[in-house]
Amino acid sequence: MVDNGNTYGERVSRLVGWGHWFAFFNTIAAMLIGTRYIAQSPWPETLLGQFYLLISWIGHFGFLVFALYLLILFPLTFVIPSRKLFRIVAVCFATFGLTILLIDTQAYQSINLHLSPVVWDLLFSTEDNTVSADLQHLFIVLPPIFLIQLALSEWVWRKQRKLSHKHIGRPIAALFFVCFVTSHLIFMWADAYFYNPVTAQKANFPLSYPMTAKSFMEKHGLLDREEYITKLKENKGSVDLVRYPIEKIEFNRRSENYNVLLISINNLRSDALQQEYMPNAYQFSLANQNFTNHYSSSNDAYGAFGLFYGLPSSYASSIKAQGTAPLFLTTLEDQGYSFNMVSGDNFSDDLYRETILRAFLANGEFSEISTTSTEAKLSTVERWKSSLLENTSSPWFSFIELTTVDDFSRYKPSTPNLSPEERFVEAYANAAAAADEEFGKIISSLEENELLDKTIVILTSNHGTEFNETKTRSWGSNSNYSQYQLRVPMVIHWPGKLAANYDHMTSHLDLSVTLMQDLSGVSTNAKHYSSGRNLFSESKRRWVLAGDTREVALITDKDTTVVDKFGNYSLYDNDYQSLDNKNPKLPVLMQGFTELQRFYSKSR
């Protein structure tokens, strides 16, 4: 109902003025609550870092509160001209906002995360956990906040004219604006010039997205790209990049000096190792150490990143920018190993050329092969064999990437009158059989040259392939995180070890740890250089990690949780069917989130 005694325009004008002052005092309240973020975060060591903290605190909360006012309450001023009703709506909205902010500060102090859909659902789940209990107790403050907001609403209404006559509104607004803009300009500079006391604060406050403009600065001559790349490498231990390893690698014994042969049959499912389709690989699995519950670290080509680095794919962009080589390869190089790498597609994926093998490309330790015909692809093994015979004086590491199954569509089914789905499966089986022949040639070469007893041979794949088992029209890979796209073979021939089947959950992230510890004699705790653990450790693990730069999948023996970069999550059972009425377990998710941040540099 519209108030009597005033025109519509006068009422709206007064409500707009009241709304600005009401938003200002709520900004002060939000800033006071926001000091909890400052108390929880590392204190900047430099004067500029401290200055940035101050102005970002003022500017961020000033912008946040006034933006919410302009987007939500300001339009309602014209829709609800009744001052009493409008003020009640504003009080409820402010009470809700400050309560959410208070809960977010508690979440940040407890688990170092801001609120998101997944964190909210987990923190207020029905499961008993101390974090959830502490946060739910914060709702006790909701009635006092509401009463304070009511009192503030009435006081501002009564003092509105007096406040306006003081002419302090514009200077205050200017202060918030200047602090907001200045904080973003400082962060732009700090991001471009690796000023860690500032860049380390980028996630201090909720809904904070500091501006970066390296491309703009380079375009206008404010940033030299070559100098930036040089500083990127020089400052990788002090900026928000990957510390890999976290601690210096130490050794407790001499290396075994076995040769290492890593064979990846790309796109190969774990259940493809059958006598019918891959007799050579199947017999190899029976005679050696077969890890039957093994997961790739990604459902696409980035499974190779996890295999070599022992880190989740989320670190790949920083590793690429730093030009960091896989740690187990550099360790082998320091121990006198020579290297030879061959691929069925000439390592055409940029992941190899720009990240994994970048350092070895520069040293010329890379075999170029032709990929223009079927015969050229078959020459992969022949090329490797010739290089094998050339090197007999030192231990060696070889990586062979067989891409036969990647191109399985060119293997025409021999059975007539098949459905498209059946043709897909049979073509895949034929490609797997062709890859198995190549694998057999590799093992035969080792036996003929009496190298099998001196060589650790690892058979695996970068990711699996789905035949629509999830009933989601998923054929191939890179569409979900089901076991069909993630589970791959992991068979190891390790001289001196007995043949055995291992059914505990293992991951691509475990291979580098295993080689570092059992081959190279590394004594440093695996947590300092990998997200994995030793493959031969059969102690139960709570989860394995997979994913890419957009999503992360936490796989347990009962379910799979997929979380995107916005905090939205989905929970699936072992058959990758959605579990809509269940929430992921908080401890599992918290450990997973921690693992995705653990190798990034933080200021202390």
Side-chain angles (χ1 to χ4, degrees):
M1 182 175 180
V2 178
D3 296 342
N4 295 321
N6 299 102
T7 67
Y8 173 83
E10 290 173 341
R11 287 191 298 273
V12 169
S13 177
R14 190 172 182 191
L15 286 175
V16 168
W18 173 87
H20 280 80
W21 283 109
F22 185 70
F24 165 71
F25 286 108
N26 273 284
T27 300
I28 301 301
M31 290 173 59
L32 292 175
I33 295 175
T35 57
R36 301 187 76 193
Y37 298 113
I38 298 175
Q40 178 65 18
S41 304
W43 183 253
E45 298 178 355
T46 65
L47 185 62
L48 180 58
Q50 296 164 10
F51 176 70
Y52 173 80
L53 178 60
L54 174 64
I55 63 172
S56 63
W57 172 60
I58 298 172
H60 179 71
F61 285 104
F63 171 80
L64 189 61
V65 174
F66 275 99
L68 290 173
Y69 165 73
L70 290 175
L71 290 173
I72 298 174
L73 292 182
F74 182 72
L76 293 179
T77 308
F78 302 94
V79 179
I80 312 174
S82 170
R83 67 177 182 85
K84 291 184 179 179
L85 180 58
F86 176 77
R87 284 168 55 191
I88 286 294
V89 171
V91 164
C92 292
F93 179 74
T95 301
F96 175 78
L98 291 182
T99 303
I100 293 298
L101 181 62
L102 196 59
I103 293 172
D104 187 79
T105 62
Q106 188 67 24
Y108 186 76
Q109 289 188 343
S110 300
I111 57 178
N112 203 34
L113 290 173
H114 293 293
L115 288 179
S116 66
V118 62
V119 174
W120 181 272
D121 285 352
L122 289 171
L123 294 179
F124 297 101
S125 66
T126 57
E127 295 183 15
D128 293 331
N129 63 77
T130 56
V131 176
S132 176
D134 290 342
L135 287 170
Q136 291 178 22
H137 290 157
L138 287 178
F139 283 109
I140 298 174
V141 305
L142 195 149
I145 292 176
F146 180 76
L147 293 175
I148 293 171
Q149 290 289 341
L150 276 178
L152 176 64
S153 168
E154 184 64 25
W155 183 83
V156 171
W157 185 263
R158 293 177 182 274
K159 301 293 183 180
Q160 182 179 347
R161 284 189 173 87
K162 184 180 290 187
L163 291 170
S164 299
H165 290 157
K166 292 182 181 294
H167 303 292
I168 59 174
R170 289 185 178 179
I172 291 173
L175 173 65
F176 285 128
F177 178 78
V178 169
C179 287
F180 178 77
V181 172
T182 304
S183 66
H184 281 270
L185 291 175
I186 291 176
F187 192 91
M188 285 170 52
W189 171 84
D191 179 64
Y193 290 93
F194 304 99
Y195 193 71
N196 195 48
V198 170
T199 57
Q201 301 180 47
K202 67 180 179 181
N204 279 7
F205 302 126
L207 301 176
S208 176
Y209 305 101
M211 185 180 300
T212 60
K214 290 188 286 289
S215 298
F216 176 85
M217 295 173 70
E218 180 184 353
K219 181 179 179 181
H220 290 82
L222 301 174
L223 178 67
D224 185 280
R225 182 169 180 79
E226 295 300 323
E227 182 181 354
Y228 172 80
I229 295 298
T230 301
K231 288 185 177 181
L232 185 68
K233 295 177 180 179
E234 292 175 350
N235 291 275
K236 64 183 180 181
S238 59
V239 299
D240 192 19
L241 292 174
V242 175
R243 294 177 299 159
Y244 175 74
I246 296 174
E247 301 290 346
K248 182 181 178 181
I249 298 299
E250 297 181 351
F251 303 83
N252 61 357
R253 59 178 176 81
R254 296 183 60 183
S255 167
E256 295 283 355
N257 286 334
Y258 287 131
N259 305 313
V260 181
L261 173 58
L262 175 57
I263 305 167
S264 175
I265 303 179
N266 287 356
N267 214 24
L268 189 65
R269 292 166 56 110
S270 63
D271 59 5
L273 263 63
Q274 300 181 27
Q275 179 67 33
E276 180 181 359
Y277 305 117
M278 304 186 71
N280 293 311
Y282 177 72
Q283 293 301 321
F284 182 76
S285 69
L286 295 180
N288 294 289
Q289 298 84 49
N290 185 16
F291 298 86
T292 60
N293 193 18
H294 185 83
Y295 289 81
S296 173
S297 54
S298 185
N299 60 1
D300 58 15
Y302 275 80
F305 177 86
L307 189 68
F308 277 85
Y309 284 92
L311 299 176
S313 301
S314 58
Y315 292 105
S317 58
S318 290
I319 288 289
K320 175 183 175 181
Q322 293 171 221
T324 307
L327 190 60
F328 90 87
L329 290 187
T330 58
T331 301
L332 293 179
E333 186 176 39
D334 291 342
Q335 293 177 337
Y337 278 69
S338 60
F339 294 87
N340 178 251
M341 322 281 187
V342 294
S343 168
D345 64 2
N346 200 23
F347 293 112
S348 61
D349 196 306
D350 291 342
L351 172 64
Y352 288 107
R353 294 180 174 272
E354 297 180 2
T355 307
I356 298 175
L357 303 181
R358 184 160 140 190
F360 303 99
L361 278 167
N363 295 333
E365 296 166 342
F366 180 81
S367 296
E368 299 284 348
I369 61 171
S370 172
T371 58
T372 58
S373 66
T374 301
E375 289 74 20
K377 288 184 180 296
L378 295 178
S379 72
T380 304
V381 175
E382 298 302 322
R383 192 66 170 267
W384 171 78
K385 286 169 63 177
S386 64
S387 64
L388 177 68
L389 297 176
E390 293 174 0
N391 178 31
T392 57
S393 58
S394 63
W396 46 261
F397 172 87
S398 285
F399 174 54
I400 304 177
E401 184 186 45
L402 297 177
T403 59
T404 313
V405 185
D406 276 342
D407 301 327
F408 68 89
S409 58
R410 67 185 180 86
Y411 288 86
K412 304 302 180 184
S414 56
T415 307
N417 303 321
L418 295 176
S419 67
E421 292 81 3
E422 291 170 334
R423 291 175 61 85
F424 183 97
V425 174
E426 185 166 329
Y428 183 89
N430 292 340
D436 185 67
E437 291 183 18
E438 297 303 295
F439 177 75
K441 294 177 183 177
I442 295 170
I443 300 302
S444 296
S445 296
L446 292 174
E447 293 174 338
E448 291 168 3
N449 290 278
E450 299 181 349
L451 289 172
L452 193 59
D453 291 337
K454 304 175 184 177
T455 305
I456 297 171
V457 183
I458 303 154
L459 171 62
T460 189
S461 180
N462 55 355
H463 59 78
T465 299
E466 183 181 348
F467 301 149
N468 196 32
E469 286 94 342
T470 60
K471 306 303 179 185
T472 56
R473 298 183 181 179
S474 295
W475 296 87
S477 60
N478 197 23
S479 57
N480 62 51
Y481 294 98
S482 66
Q483 60 175 312
Y484 312 104
Q485 297 189 31
L486 288 179
R487 286 185 62 175
V488 295
M490 175 57 75
V491 185
I492 299 179
H493 164 75
W494 198 296
K497 290 185 183 288
L498 297 176
N501 281 342
Y502 296 91
D503 60 3
H504 62 281
M505 189 177 289
T506 56
S507 166
H508 265 15
L509 307 179
D510 302 337
L511 179 64
S512 61
V513 174
T514 307
L515 292 175
M516 294 276 281
Q517 291 181 343
D518 294 358
L519 174 66
S520 297
V522 170
S523 60
T524 304
N525 192 311
K527 291 183 178 181
H528 293 316
Y529 57 87
S530 175
S531 294
R533 67 181 194 183
N534 197 301
L535 282 164
F536 296 101
S537 173
E538 298 185 63
S539 59
K540 184 177 176 61
R541 69 200 309 169
R542 302 190 69 171
W543 45 266
V544 294
L545 199 61
D548 54 26
T549 56
R550 298 169 289 109
E551 297 175 316
V552 59
L554 290 152
I555 302 135
T556 71
D557 55 0
K558 295 180 179 179
D559 52 44
T560 297
T561 304
V562 179
V563 185
D564 66 20
K565 62 181 180 181
F566 302 107
N568 304 305
Y569 73 87
S570 301
L571 188 64
Y572 303 92
D573 63 17
N574 283 338
D575 296 322
Y576 214 73
Q577 302 304 304
S578 180
L579 298 172
D580 297 327
N581 299 322
K582 289 186 63 178
N583 290 329
K585 293 187 179 297
L586 177 63
V588 172
L589 269 182
M590 292 303 101
Q591 290 174 20
F593 290 154
T594 299
E595 199 59 44
L596 295 176
Q597 298 293 324
R598 192 164 60 83
F599 285 89
Y600 286 115
S601 279
K602 304 290 181 183
S603 63
R604 294 288 183 246

